[in-house]
Amino acid sequence: EKFSLSSYSCYNVLVFLQILGNECPLSALSPFYYKNPELFGRLLIDSYPCRVGGELQWTYLSLPVILFNWLPSPSKLTTITLSHNLLEELPEALFQLSSLHELNAKHNRLKSLPPVTKWRLDQLRSLNFSFNSLTCNDVGDCGGEFKGGSLPSRRLSVNLTRESFLPRLWKVNLSHNQLNVFPAWICEVSSMAILDMKNNPVTRL
């Protein structure tokens, strides 16, 4: 008889995973998300728990989406790696984790980012969105629109200044996307040391 996850309880599925171990990666269960997102989130947390030091690594799982309420103890997370999945967007609340040092979502299907005016990543050091499908039809369309004068001296909306916007961010990787201009928020990061924009169809600065 063909195996059907929908006929099993959360407990039975967890036991099934524990018996098979690495022979049954969670990516094989990703279609189950569409039937029961809450249960799938519980399976995800149980199978791939947060590591010591607040590191969460969910990679190569074919995840179609990430829900914020899936994250274990989000206020304590320092590193989140979501690379090599099928994500088209990230929850806005993910960009408000003040304890986060590193966010890696490379090799997904991201098409846009939450408005930068909603970002509260005060401790963020490294940001990697390479190998996605991020686009920019205009400067203000990459992660939200800025208000004020010409770059780079203009201030962000909602009273965010260059000194308070991502104050510790020093490394950004946006390579291998579909950006035709530099995102406006890049010019507002005063601590920037490394910026990778290669393999984008950039036509103007």
Side-chain angles (χ1 to χ4, degrees):
E1 183 179 357
K2 187 177 180 181
F3 174 72
S4 174
L5 281 174
S6 60
S7 63
Y8 285 74
S9 67
C10 179
Y11 174 77
N12 288 334
V13 175
L14 289 175
V15 171
F16 179 74
L17 285 175
Q18 291 168 358
I19 293 174
L20 293 182
N22 292 333
E23 296 180 7
C24 181
L26 192 65
S27 58
L29 303 180
S30 59
F32 187 54
Y33 159 77
Y34 297 101
K35 292 185 177 181
N36 193 326
E38 181 180 354
L39 175 54
F40 184 82
R42 291 164 63 188
L43 292 172
L44 185 62
I45 293 172
D46 186 85
S47 303
Y48 299 87
C50 185
R51 299 178 179 180
V52 176
E55 180 183 356
L56 188 67
Q57 185 172 340
W58 292 346
T59 63
Y60 292 97
L61 299 176
S62 300
L63 297 176
V65 69
I66 288 290
L67 300 183
F68 186 74
N69 59 8
W70 290 354
L71 301 181
S73 302
S75 62
K76 297 180 180 180
L77 293 175
T78 58
T79 301
I80 296 180
T81 304
L82 303 171
S83 60
H84 297 274
N85 283 294
L86 305 174
L87 303 173
E88 295 186 2
E89 61 181 9
L90 296 173
E92 184 177 297
L94 188 65
F95 291 77
Q96 298 178 357
L97 297 178
S98 58
S99 61
L100 199 61
H101 289 188
E102 181 178 350
L103 177 58
N104 184 344
K106 66 181 181 179
H107 285 279
N108 276 282
R109 300 176 179 179
L110 298 177
K111 298 178 180 179
S112 63
L113 302 175
V116 292
T117 53
K118 301 294 181 64
W119 295 14
R120 298 294 184 271
L121 300 169
D122 297 339
Q123 300 297 323
L124 192 68
R125 271 74 164 173
S126 176
L127 190 65
N128 191 340
F129 291 140
S130 60
F131 293 93
N132 276 283
S133 300
L134 296 173
T135 61
C136 269
N137 294 321
D138 201 355
V139 174
D141 293 336
C142 266
E145 185 176 357
F146 292 95
K147 298 179 180 180
S150 59
L151 287 172
S153 61
R154 63 184 173 186
R155 291 170 176 259
L156 298 166
S157 59
V158 297
N159 297 320
L160 290 177
T161 65
R162 295 187 66 194
E163 291 72 25
S164 62
F165 180 66
L166 303 177
R168 292 175 172 79
L169 182 63
W170 68 277
K171 184 178 182 180
V172 175
N173 191 341
L174 295 174
S175 64
H176 299 274
N177 277 280
Q178 298 299 316
L179 305 173
N180 61 1
V181 296
F182 275 67
W185 59 268
I186 290 294
C187 298
E188 304 293 338
V189 181
S190 59
S191 57
M192 181 79 66
I194 300 175
L195 172 62
D196 191 344
M197 284 281 293
K198 66 176 178 287
N199 289 99
N200 277 285
V202 176
T203 58
R204 59 189 176 90
L205 301 179

